[in-house]
Amino acid sequence: MISNKHFNKLVSILMIIAVSFSLILIALPKSSTSTTYIEQPDYVTTIFDDDKVIEINIEMDETAWQEMLDNASAEEYTAANITVNGTTYNNVAIRPKGNSSLSQLVMDDTTDRYSFKIKFDEYVDGQTLDGLSKLVLNNNMSDATYMKEYLSYKLLESLGVPTPECAYAHITVNGEEWGLYLAVEPIEEEFIARNYGSTDGNLYKPESDSVAMGNKDNQNDMKDKTDFNPKQIDQSQDSSNNTTSSSTQNSSNQMQTPPNMNNGDTSGQMQTPPDMNNGDTSGQMQVPPNMNNGDASGQMQVPPNMNNEDNSNQMQIPSDMSNEDSSSESQSSDNTGNISNELPANMPNGMGGGMMGGGMGGNSNGADLVWNGDDISNYSAIFDNAIFKTTDSDDYTKILDMIEHLDSMEDIESYLDVDEVLRYFAANTFLVNLDSYVSNMNHNYYLYENNGIVSILPWDYNLSFAGFQAGSASNAINFPIDSPVSDSLEDNPLIANLLEVDEYKELYHQYLNDIVENFINNGTYETLIAKTDSLISDYVKNDATAFYTFDEYEDAVSNLLTFGYDRATSIAAQLDGTQPSTSTGTIETTVYLTAMGQQGGGNDKAGMNNMVNKPDNNTTTTDNSNSTNTDSFTAPSNNTSENASAPMNNSPGNMGGNSSNLDPTVMMQAMQIIQSSEDGTITDSIKDELLNLGLTEDDITQLSSMELPNQDSNMQDFKNNNLAMGPNNTSSNNTSLIITLSSIALLIIAILVVSLFKKRKYIS
């Protein structure tokens, strides 16, 4: 029989083990997120299918449609019947959407290709698109590749960042061709429920004062339905009798009044911002002070004090930035007026951080997440843009707690999902996505707070791949990974303060290396581009409202491919120390940024394409006879500099490190033909197809010796290689479950032992 002494020891040991397991469970990082599998709604597979283009037909009275377009700046919902992939949804709400892109299109009388937002349940309670109540249709205005936003989301998704679903959509209006858009899942209730299992937390979309002008995207969608008097579809009613919303109807096609700007004026037109040509009473947006006001062309002029004597309308080097030096180091030597690679040292990263928006964080109102005391009013850019109606002032304190601890970095993981944030910024840095948190604009991101822990969520990547404030192609390719902002690190504490912690910086570098090795070098990136091109190229060719020609699209895709390889080369060199990581490096590139699309859209909208993104004269080779922009691009080289890392030997298009004269489009087609075979081998019939494409026997021999990547498997491998996969982390799920069950089992055993022996007599 067991002695009382030994029995007590046994029970004590079992209890200690059980409690220890329980404490381990409690001590697991709070940022490991959910512990259960979240069932995905139907729309994830039925609507957002990477292998198909969504077919959407908008049915609306012609007069009502044109009236909505003519008053696009009002962003008011109008009713329509919308057919999606053959299924018709009646009385669906649709409106134009956007911020700066919407304003630019309103002022452009050559196109009505607006982005749209659709609400399926605005007029019909409970109506959804296979579980999705809202859908965004983006017009690809500033993207000649049509792929920037799509590829960005795929990269973020592969890193385990909660990411909106997206797919291409072919739009027709009353059966007539309209164009190829990108359909995107909004970051709202359904997105949060899909990624986090519930909507118990609080969601914010920060917008600093410098970019909040004219942005009604949040305000319109947060109104109660009772606030609307929508234009319902009534076949028996003349469209001219349709009622409008309670806001003032304006049919002048002029920009409307943004919130808190000249609110005393009820004309509904955008008023002159403070101190901006206030003497003009026309109500139309005026040119900012000192910005070539005498020019009436409507194109963006030279910012104040930036070589205003130059009448070329091209962006010059700011007057306070090495003005006394007129040598070729400070100005481009091609006499075009464009800024060269050698931008002044005091211009952050060589980027245009202070050229757009409200200045260096001066009008942030909390969107930069800089700690400014515990007064809630100092963070209006966050709290005025809460998405959920259930969010109240009590919830604000959780965001304030995060910002305060971000400032001190004390116990930061109890307030911030650090791992998720680092993944987000690794992708953002690779993409040189400056139209985001990391510029003085401090926008195009969401904050989601749940149980006191805050995550950052991605949004709006049409200007990724250096489409905004990037300067030259060389600056973009060499954008520094450890100073990944366009203004100053102190104004961007969400990334700057994390990088000051060695552990976090090392993890951030690991995610950057994952992108280089598992997204670029293994061929996933190129295969994804090839697959996407195969899916959409015919739609692009026939796009009725396109901002770019099909030839421009093909040129843009070629540059996009080169950008990925050159950017990976630069990041690899920064990681191994052969290139600087806090300032602009010297990796050479043949990328032509403007060809890929820039802010302002196609057809030189707003004169943006005349700025600084033409090919660099001194960045390609030492042989000046080599052009940086030709009609036919060879496959991108992965070893573009003496300081570059080793070539990516298995990348399609690189042909095992040997140069190929094939156009990248032909190479993409060749890859698709090979991958169409059952096992990827080159049979006689496939060889004939490759020869018909223009490949030589040598090309085919090289291809046959390569293991061509499979995009889906590579993406899955990339995900599996990363330990923490965001909200749906099955690895942490299993660990937590095992520990929990073990603890329960041990406690049960201990209780049974006590119950079994308490009735017995023990030997003393």
Side-chain angles (χ1 to χ4, degrees):
M1 297 182 69
I2 303 176
S3 70
N4 185 56
K5 180 173 65 174
H6 292 152
F7 170 73
N8 289 338
K9 286 182 178 180
L10 176 62
V11 173
S12 298
I13 291 172
L14 290 173
M15 293 295 290
I16 290 171
I17 294 174
V19 171
S20 297
F21 273 118
S22 299
L23 291 175
I24 291 173
L25 179 63
I26 294 172
L28 283 176
K30 296 182 180 180
S31 60
S32 295
T33 61
S34 68
T35 59
T36 58
Y37 172 75
I38 302 171
E39 185 177 356
Q40 297 296 282
D42 290 342
Y43 66 79
V44 171
T45 54
T46 60
I47 303 302
F48 297 106
D49 187 340
D50 288 332
D51 297 322
K52 297 178 181 178
V53 173
I54 308 169
E55 292 291 339
I56 298 178
N57 182 50
I58 301 168
E59 299 175 63
M60 188 186 296
D61 176 81
E62 294 284 356
T63 303
W65 172 256
Q66 191 57 51
E67 182 181 348
M68 181 185 72
L69 298 179
D70 289 343
N71 294 279
S73 57
E75 296 185 76
E76 293 178 352
Y77 281 111
T78 302
N81 296 330
I82 295 181
T83 301
V84 181
N85 292 338
T87 301
T88 299
Y89 302 84
N90 294 315
N91 276 326
V92 172
I94 183 172
R95 67 171 175 84
K97 69 168 290 291
N99 191 7
S100 61
S101 60
L102 176 63
S103 302
Q104 291 162 12
L105 288 180
V106 165
M107 293 184 287
D108 185 346
D109 59 5
T110 66
T111 181
D112 286 327
R113 185 188 172 105
Y114 295 102
S115 294
F116 297 105
K117 190 163 191 176
I118 298 173
K119 289 184 72 174
F120 290 88
D121 63 349
E122 178 66 22
Y123 311 135
V124 180
D125 288 341
Q127 179 171 246
T128 66
L129 178 63
D130 291 348
L132 186 67
S133 61
K134 299 174 186 176
L135 182 67
V136 169
L137 299 175
N138 288 337
N139 62 2
N140 301 308
M141 173 180 172
S142 300
D143 183 9
T145 73
Y146 282 72
M147 298 184 194
K148 289 182 179 180
E149 187 163 26
Y150 179 79
L151 292 177
S152 297
Y153 284 141
K154 294 307 174 186
L155 173 57
L156 284 153
E157 181 184 34
S158 71
L159 281 172
V161 178
T163 305
E165 293 289 338
C166 62
Y168 288 96
H170 171 229
I171 311 297
T172 56
V173 178
N174 296 325
E176 298 295 326
E177 290 291 330
W178 188 259
L180 181 68
Y181 280 58
L182 185 69
V184 182
E185 172 194 22
I187 296 184
E188 297 185 19
E189 286 87 348
E190 286 138 1
F191 170 90
I192 295 299
R194 179 175 69 80
N195 284 278
Y196 295 92
S198 72
T199 56
D200 294 338
N202 299 284
L203 182 64
Y204 307 87
K205 188 176 187 294
E207 288 286 359
S208 62
D209 287 353
S210 59
V211 292
M213 300 187 302
N215 182 16
K216 299 183 180 181
D217 205 43
N218 291 336
Q219 291 90 335
N220 280 354
D221 291 326
M222 287 191 289
K223 292 180 182 178
D224 293 327
K225 291 182 180 181
T226 55
D227 292 339
F228 286 91
N229 186 14
K231 304 174 183 178
Q232 298 285 351
I233 292 181
D234 186 345
Q235 303 298 339
S236 64
Q237 183 181 13
D238 185 89
S239 62
S240 63
N241 294 327
N242 287 341
T243 58
T244 64
S245 75
S246 57
S247 64
T248 304
Q249 179 75 15
N250 181 288
S251 60
S252 65
N253 201 29
Q254 292 174 331
M255 193 171 288
Q256 306 304 310
T257 307
N260 302 320
M261 291 185 68
N262 294 352
N263 286 349
D265 188 296
T266 58
S267 66
Q269 297 176 340
M270 173 163 281
Q271 305 305 313
T272 306
D275 303 318
M276 294 176 71
N277 293 350
N278 283 348
D280 188 296
T281 59
S282 65
Q284 297 177 333
M285 178 173 279
Q286 305 301 315
V287 181
N290 302 321
M291 294 179 72
N292 291 353
N293 287 352
D295 188 297
S297 66
Q299 294 182 334
M300 180 170 284
Q301 306 304 315
V302 180
N305 301 319
M306 296 176 72
N307 293 350
N308 282 354
E309 285 77 19
D310 185 290
N311 297 320
S312 65
N313 287 337
Q314 294 173 337
M315 183 169 284
Q316 307 301 318
I317 296 179
S319 58
D320 60 339
M321 301 173 77
S322 304
N323 267 2
E324 295 179 1
D325 185 354
S326 59
S327 67
S328 58
E329 281 81 23
S330 62
Q331 296 281 349
S332 172
S333 61
D334 62 355
N335 297 322
T336 63
N338 294 321
I339 298 176
S340 74
N341 291 335
E342 302 298 330
L343 289 176
N346 62 333
M347 188 172 187
N349 299 338
M351 302 295 172
M355 297 179 186
M356 303 292 292
M360 307 295 276
N363 294 322
S364 170
N365 283 357
D368 55 10
L369 306 183
V370 172
W371 176 244
N372 192 23
D374 57 7
D375 187 342
I376 288 177
S377 65
N378 292 334
Y379 308 91
S380 59
I382 302 174
F383 302 133
D384 287 353
N385 292 290
I387 304 299
F388 296 164
K389 296 176 183 177
T390 55
T391 299
D392 57 31
S393 57
D394 290 338
D395 298 308
Y396 298 165
T397 58
K398 299 174 184 177
I399 296 295
L400 291 181
D401 286 344
M402 184 277 289
I403 298 175
E404 182 177 14
H405 284 80
L406 179 65
D407 183 60
S408 67
M409 291 299 291
E410 179 182 354
D411 193 23
I412 186 60
E413 291 188 38
S414 294
Y415 302 88
L416 184 70
D417 189 344
V418 172
D419 184 81
E420 187 269 349
V421 171
L422 292 174
R423 291 172 182 270
Y424 167 90
F425 280 114
N428 206 72
T429 298
F430 175 85
L431 295 167
V432 195
N433 180 46
L434 304 182
D435 189 29
S436 64
Y437 170 80
V438 299
S439 76
N440 59 303
M441 309 294 276
N442 299 125
H443 72 150
N444 284 336
Y445 72 95
Y446 286 80
L447 293 176
Y448 179 60
E449 174 273 314
N450 191 20
N451 293 324
I453 298 178
V454 179
S455 304
I456 186 171
L457 300 175
W459 186 249
D460 197 355
Y461 281 76
N462 68 312
L463 291 173
S464 60
F465 293 91
F468 179 77
Q469 291 190 353
S472 69
S474 179
N475 286 336
I477 293 301
N478 292 286
F479 184 56
I481 61 174
D482 291 335
S483 182
V485 300
S486 66
D487 50 355
S488 62
L489 281 170
E490 55 266 29
D491 288 332
N492 296 270
L494 188 59
I495 180 61
N497 292 6
L498 294 181
L499 292 184
E500 290 179 357
V501 179
D502 291 341
E503 175 188 355
Y504 299 153
K505 186 175 183 178
E506 181 179 352
L507 188 57
Y508 167 73
H509 283 182
Q510 174 188 316
Y511 294 141
L512 283 168
N513 187 68
D514 286 343
I515 295 172
V516 172
E517 296 298 333
N518 301 322
F519 194 76
I520 303 297
N521 287 11
N522 72 345
T524 297
Y525 177 72
E526 185 163 353
T527 305
L528 184 56
I529 290 177
K531 179 180 177 181
T532 307
D533 175 70
S534 177
L535 179 69
I536 70 173
S537 59
D538 286 343
Y539 291 95
V540 174
K541 186 180 296 184
N542 298 304
D543 193 326
T545 60
F547 293 111
Y548 306 91
T549 67
F550 186 67
D551 286 343
E552 289 173 325
Y553 160 77
E554 291 186 307
D555 189 21
V557 172
S558 179
N559 277 277
L560 183 69
L561 194 60
T562 305
F563 183 100
Y565 284 124
D566 289 357
R567 182 71 180 129
T569 299
S570 172
I571 289 177
Q574 293 183 56
L575 289 172
D576 68 22
T578 58
Q579 285 283 301
S581 64
T582 58
S583 60
T584 305
T586 58
I587 296 294
E588 297 174 348
T589 185
T590 60
V591 168
Y592 184 17
L593 284 185
T594 301
M596 294 165 57
Q598 299 285 292
Q599 185 194 29
N603 304 322
D604 198 24
K605 297 185 184 305
M608 296 301 291
N609 289 348
N610 286 330
M611 289 191 180
V612 295
N613 298 315
K614 293 184 183 294
D616 307 315
N617 288 341
N618 301 317
T619 60
T620 56
T621 64
T622 56
D623 182 359
N624 294 329
S625 65
N626 290 339
S627 172
T628 60
N629 184 30
T630 62
D631 293 334
S632 177
F633 277 80
T634 59
S637 169
N638 298 315
N639 192 16
T640 57
S641 170
E642 292 179 321
N643 296 323
S645 59
M648 305 174 216
N649 294 327
N650 290 326
S651 297
N654 189 43
M655 302 295 293
N658 296 323
S659 177
S660 171
N661 292 323
L662 289 176
D663 184 276
T665 302
V666 175
M667 185 59 69
M668 292 175 189
Q669 294 171 349
M671 291 163 52
Q672 293 163 15
I673 291 173
I674 296 173
Q675 289 178 312
S676 66
S677 65
E678 292 184 1
D679 56 1
T681 58
I682 300 178
T683 63
D684 290 340
S685 60
I686 289 179
K687 182 176 180 180
D688 290 339
E689 291 185 61
L690 296 176
L691 290 172
N692 289 334
L693 276 179
L695 271 69
T696 66
E697 292 282 354
D698 289 340
D699 292 334
I700 296 174
T701 299
Q702 288 177 320
L703 282 173
S704 64
S705 65
M706 296 169 54
E707 181 180 351
L708 290 183
N710 175 277
Q711 176 217 334
D712 296 329
S713 63
N714 280 338
M715 292 287 280
Q716 189 60 47
D717 290 342
F718 187 18
K719 294 178 182 180
N720 292 339
N721 286 337
N722 293 303
L723 298 179
M725 292 306 302
N728 299 324
N729 182 3
T730 57
S731 176
S732 63
N733 289 348
N734 294 336
T735 302
S736 300
L737 182 61
I738 291 172
I739 294 175
T740 301
L741 292 177
S742 300
S743 299
I744 293 173
L746 288 170
L747 287 171
I748 292 174
I749 292 173
I751 293 171
L752 288 175
V753 170
V754 172
S755 176
L756 178 64
F757 284 96
K758 71 178 181 178
K759 297 178 182 179
R760 300 187 179 187
K761 293 182 179 180
Y762 305 105
I763 299 174
S764 59

